[in-house]
Amino acid sequence: DVVLTQTPPTLSATIGQSVSISCRSSQSLLHSNGNTYLHWLLQRPGQSPQLLIYLVSRLESGVPNRFSGSGSGTDFTLKISGVEAEDLGVYYCVQGTHAPYTFGAGTKLELK
Amino acid sequence: EIQLQESGPGLVKPSQSLSLTCSVTGYTITSGHDWSWIRKFPGNKMEWMGYISNSGSTNYNPPLRIRISITRDTSKNQFFLQLNSVTTEDTATYYCARSGWALFDYWGQGVMVTVSS
């Protein structure tokens, strides 16, 4: 199975600070069809996960543009440009290029 | 608006079967996409369990293959999870979600299932 390694496991930030989360894959996530099926989710406390970014860098409808995704191959990054209080929770990367789908271990974003 | 809602018992005894229902509104499950079950263990670990496609085919995570079954009732726009021979390690919050290539865009609220005697 593809292993997604997320770092850091915990992130402490102040409101307005910009932060980045890394997701590294044990295999390239570039599919033979040309797509890279790497997505980012946020699970706020007490809520279900929600899709933030799909296909590496595409912003899901309704998600603020302070969220951005980048990367290729095996290295991917989620950036939050100016953390807001509502951004607190656990962030996951997930891949769908290789069966079975796998998730990163999560990065917990806390307020400093 | 697309909504998914899980239902089922919150407590299952070891060696028994876990059965959950996902009811979908706002979208017909035969129209497109895959329909997945995902679980989150105590702590943060997430595991994709499997899906049933809009055509009715299934795809399971290999470690679960001998214990899992995902079926559907198209007349009720529902799909189901059955996990057999559960142990305490199956204690988790179970989610249903609409999916395609692991793009989980709509989720249920989740149901916490405890396996305990």
Side-chain angles (χ1 to χ4, degrees):
Chain A
D1 295 0
V2 171
V3 176
L4 297 180
T5 302
Q6 276 186 246
T7 55
T10 304
L11 197 47
S12 294
T14 56
I15 300 299
Q17 183 180 352
S18 292
V19 297
S20 293
I21 299 169
S22 170
C23 178
R24 290 188 170 173
S25 174
S26 60
Q27 301 178 39
S28 174
L29 298 183
L30 176 63
H31 194 277
S32 57
N33 66 13
N35 289 324
T36 298
Y37 297 100
L38 187 284
H39 322 299
W40 291 93
L41 305 166
L42 164 61
Q43 185 167 32
R44 296 186 176 95
Q47 295 186 19
S48 302
Q50 70 165 107
L51 181 66
L52 296 177
I53 302 279
Y54 62 97
L55 295 173
V56 179
S57 59
R58 301 185 187 184
L59 199 64
E60 174 69 348
S61 177
V63 174
N65 61 11
R66 63 180 178 274
F67 291 95
S68 62
S70 62
S72 64
T74 60
D75 288 351
F76 303 92
T77 301
L78 175 71
K79 183 177 181 180
I80 310 173
S81 300
V83 168
E84 298 193 5
E86 66 181 19
D87 300 337
L88 304 184
V90 182
Y91 290 80
Y92 295 93
C93 54
V94 56
Q95 69 83 26
T97 298
H98 302 284
Y101 303 153
T102 51
F103 292 82
T107 295
K108 186 175 184 181
L109 178 61
E110 303 173 326
L111 272 183
K112 191 181 292 184
Chain B
E1 181 187 6
I2 299 170
Q3 293 187 325
L4 291 82
Q5 182 163 346
E6 306 88 349
S7 58
L11 181 64
V12 182
K13 288 182 166 45
S15 80
Q16 294 189 345
S17 293
L18 179 163
S19 296
L20 298 175
T21 297
C22 182
S23 301
V24 180
T25 56
Y27 193 90
T28 303
I29 62 174
T30 56
S31 294
H33 295 274
D34 303 324
W35 302 89
S36 282
W37 288 97
I38 297 151
R39 60 183 178 176
K40 182 177 179 179
F41 297 99
N44 285 337
K45 182 182 175 184
M46 297 273 277
E47 179 182 57
W48 170 74
M49 302 180 72
Y51 67 67
I52 187 164
S53 74
N54 61 85
S55 65
S57 62
T58 54
N59 187 10
Y60 302 133
N61 200 333
L64 299 172
R65 195 162 282 155
I66 61 170
R67 298 198 292 137
I68 191 174
S69 177
I70 299 176
T71 57
R72 66 182 184 174
D73 184 337
T74 57
S75 68
K76 294 182 179 179
N77 214 38
Q78 295 175 328
F79 63 106
F80 312 101
L81 170 69
Q82 181 171 319
L83 186 66
N84 300 322
S85 305
V86 298
T87 71
T88 56
E89 295 191 352
D90 294 309
T91 293
T93 298
Y94 288 75
Y95 297 94
C96 58
R98 191 177 81 163
S99 60
W101 299 93
L103 200 167
F104 303 110
D105 58 353
Y106 290 93
W107 294 69
Q109 83 284 357
V111 58
M112 188 179 300
V113 178
T114 301
V115 179
S116 175
S117 55

mmCIF file of all heavy atoms in Angstrom, chain A residues 6-11 21 89-91 105-109, chain B residues 44:
data_model
loop_
_atom_site.group_PDB
_atom_site.id
_atom_site.type_symbol
_atom_site.label_atom_id
_atom_site.label_comp_id
_atom_site.label_asym_id
_atom_site.label_seq_id
_atom_site.Cartn_x
_atom_site.Cartn_y
_atom_site.Cartn_z
ATOM 1 N N GLN A 6 2.790 12.469 6.719
ATOM 2 C CA GLN A 6 2.465 13.877 6.949
ATOM 3 C C GLN A 6 3.357 14.447 8.035
ATOM 4 O O GLN A 6 3.570 13.829 9.081
ATOM 5 C CB GLN A 6 1.005 14.021 7.412
ATOM 6 C CG GLN A 6 -0.001 14.047 6.309
ATOM 7 C CD GLN A 6 -1.398 14.343 6.826
ATOM 8 O OE1 GLN A 6 -2.268 13.490 6.753
ATOM 9 N NE2 GLN A 6 -1.610 15.556 7.342
ATOM 10 N N THR A 7 3.840 15.648 7.786
ATOM 11 C CA THR A 7 4.598 16.382 8.800
ATOM 12 C C THR A 7 4.223 17.850 8.774
ATOM 13 O O THR A 7 3.919 18.393 7.701
ATOM 14 C CB THR A 7 6.120 16.243 8.573
ATOM 15 O OG1 THR A 7 6.431 16.663 7.239
ATOM 16 C CG2 THR A 7 6.589 14.827 8.809
ATOM 17 N N PRO A 8 4.220 18.490 9.959
ATOM 18 C CA PRO A 8 4.458 17.876 11.266
ATOM 19 C C PRO A 8 3.191 17.185 11.770
ATOM 20 O O PRO A 8 2.111 17.416 11.221
ATOM 21 C CB PRO A 8 4.788 19.084 12.142
ATOM 22 C CG PRO A 8 3.969 20.188 11.551
ATOM 23 C CD PRO A 8 3.966 19.932 10.062
ATOM 24 N N PRO A 9 3.258 16.365 12.791
ATOM 25 C CA PRO A 9 2.049 15.759 13.351
ATOM 26 C C PRO A 9 1.190 16.769 14.098
ATOM 27 O O PRO A 9 -0.034 16.603 14.137
ATOM 28 C CB PRO A 9 2.588 14.680 14.298
ATOM 29 C CG PRO A 9 4.017 14.987 14.497
ATOM 30 C CD PRO A 9 4.478 15.781 13.314
ATOM 31 N N THR A 10 1.827 17.775 14.649
ATOM 32 C CA THR A 10 1.108 18.841 15.341
ATOM 33 C C THR A 10 1.708 20.167 14.933
ATOM 34 O O THR A 10 2.924 20.285 14.756
ATOM 35 C CB THR A 10 1.219 18.681 16.874
ATOM 36 O OG1 THR A 10 0.748 17.385 17.245
ATOM 37 C CG2 THR A 10 0.373 19.725 17.587
ATOM 38 N N LEU A 11 0.829 21.155 14.776
ATOM 39 C CA LEU A 11 1.260 22.477 14.337
ATOM 40 C C LEU A 11 0.582 23.508 15.244
ATOM 41 O O LEU A 11 -0.652 23.486 15.382
ATOM 42 C CB LEU A 11 0.812 22.666 12.895
ATOM 43 C CG LEU A 11 1.406 23.735 12.001
ATOM 44 C CD1 LEU A 11 2.918 23.766 12.062
ATOM 45 C CD2 LEU A 11 0.920 23.524 10.584
ATOM 46 N N ILE A 21 1.775 22.269 5.621
ATOM 47 C CA ILE A 21 1.775 20.861 5.996
ATOM 48 C C ILE A 21 2.305 20.060 4.814
ATOM 49 O O ILE A 21 1.892 20.283 3.665
ATOM 50 C CB ILE A 21 0.356 20.387 6.354
ATOM 51 C CG1 ILE A 21 -0.187 21.192 7.543
ATOM 52 C CG2 ILE A 21 0.342 18.892 6.665
ATOM 53 C CD1 ILE A 21 -1.666 20.984 7.809
ATOM 54 N N GLY A 89 -8.143 22.058 13.690
ATOM 55 C CA GLY A 89 -8.636 20.713 13.496
ATOM 56 C C GLY A 89 -7.515 19.827 12.984
ATOM 57 O O GLY A 89 -6.338 20.165 13.089
ATOM 58 N N VAL A 90 -7.897 18.695 12.414
ATOM 59 C CA VAL A 90 -6.915 17.744 11.903
ATOM 60 C C VAL A 90 -6.984 17.706 10.375
ATOM 61 O O VAL A 90 -8.064 17.530 9.802
ATOM 62 C CB VAL A 90 -7.148 16.327 12.471
ATOM 63 C CG1 VAL A 90 -6.078 15.371 11.959
ATOM 64 C CG2 VAL A 90 -7.144 16.359 13.999
ATOM 65 N N TYR A 91 -5.854 17.877 9.755
ATOM 66 C CA TYR A 91 -5.738 17.867 8.299
ATOM 67 C C TYR A 91 -5.189 16.517 7.842
ATOM 68 O O TYR A 91 -4.244 15.993 8.427
ATOM 69 C CB TYR A 91 -4.793 18.989 7.844
ATOM 70 C CG TYR A 91 -5.389 20.351 8.040
ATOM 71 C CD1 TYR A 91 -5.377 20.973 9.290
ATOM 72 C CD2 TYR A 91 -5.989 21.036 6.985
ATOM 73 C CE1 TYR A 91 -5.950 22.216 9.488
ATOM 74 C CE2 TYR A 91 -6.553 22.291 7.160
ATOM 75 C CZ TYR A 91 -6.532 22.867 8.419
ATOM 76 O OH TYR A 91 -7.103 24.100 8.607
ATOM 77 N N ALA A 105 -1.430 10.261 8.312
ATOM 78 C CA ALA A 105 -1.746 10.081 9.733
ATOM 79 C C ALA A 105 -2.397 11.306 10.350
ATOM 80 O O ALA A 105 -2.882 11.245 11.486
ATOM 81 C CB ALA A 105 -0.486 9.716 10.500
ATOM 82 N N GLY A 106 -2.397 12.401 9.625
ATOM 83 C CA GLY A 106 -3.054 13.606 10.121
ATOM 84 C C GLY A 106 -2.091 14.598 10.733
ATOM 85 O O GLY A 106 -1.065 14.231 11.304
ATOM 86 N N THR A 107 -2.434 15.875 10.598
ATOM 87 C CA THR A 107 -1.704 16.970 11.239
ATOM 88 C C THR A 107 -2.709 17.787 12.019
ATOM 89 O O THR A 107 -3.673 18.302 11.443
ATOM 90 C CB THR A 107 -1.006 17.866 10.205
ATOM 91 O OG1 THR A 107 0.004 17.117 9.534
ATOM 92 C CG2 THR A 107 -0.387 19.086 10.882
ATOM 93 N N LYS A 108 -2.488 17.883 13.310
ATOM 94 C CA LYS A 108 -3.399 18.638 14.161
ATOM 95 C C LYS A 108 -2.937 20.079 14.245
ATOM 96 O O LYS A 108 -1.815 20.363 14.670
ATOM 97 C CB LYS A 108 -3.473 18.029 15.554
ATOM 98 C CG LYS A 108 -4.509 18.682 16.441
ATOM 99 C CD LYS A 108 -4.637 17.955 17.777
ATOM 100 C CE LYS A 108 -5.731 18.551 18.635
ATOM 101 N NZ LYS A 108 -5.854 17.857 19.940
ATOM 102 N N LEU A 109 -3.805 20.997 13.833
ATOM 103 C CA LEU A 109 -3.509 22.421 13.899
ATOM 104 C C LEU A 109 -4.149 22.991 15.155
ATOM 105 O O LEU A 109 -5.370 22.896 15.341
ATOM 106 C CB LEU A 109 -4.030 23.140 12.663
ATOM 107 C CG LEU A 109 -3.836 24.655 12.615
ATOM 108 C CD1 LEU A 109 -2.361 25.023 12.664
ATOM 109 C CD2 LEU A 109 -4.485 25.235 11.367
ATOM 110 N N ASN B 44 -6.139 9.407 15.464
ATOM 111 C CA ASN B 44 -6.480 10.070 14.211
ATOM 112 C C ASN B 44 -6.480 9.168 12.979
ATOM 113 O O ASN B 44 -6.834 9.624 11.905
ATOM 114 C CB ASN B 44 -5.513 11.225 13.946
ATOM 115 C CG ASN B 44 -5.797 12.419 14.813
ATOM 116 O OD1 ASN B 44 -6.905 12.587 15.306
ATOM 117 N ND2 ASN B 44 -4.786 13.248 15.022
#
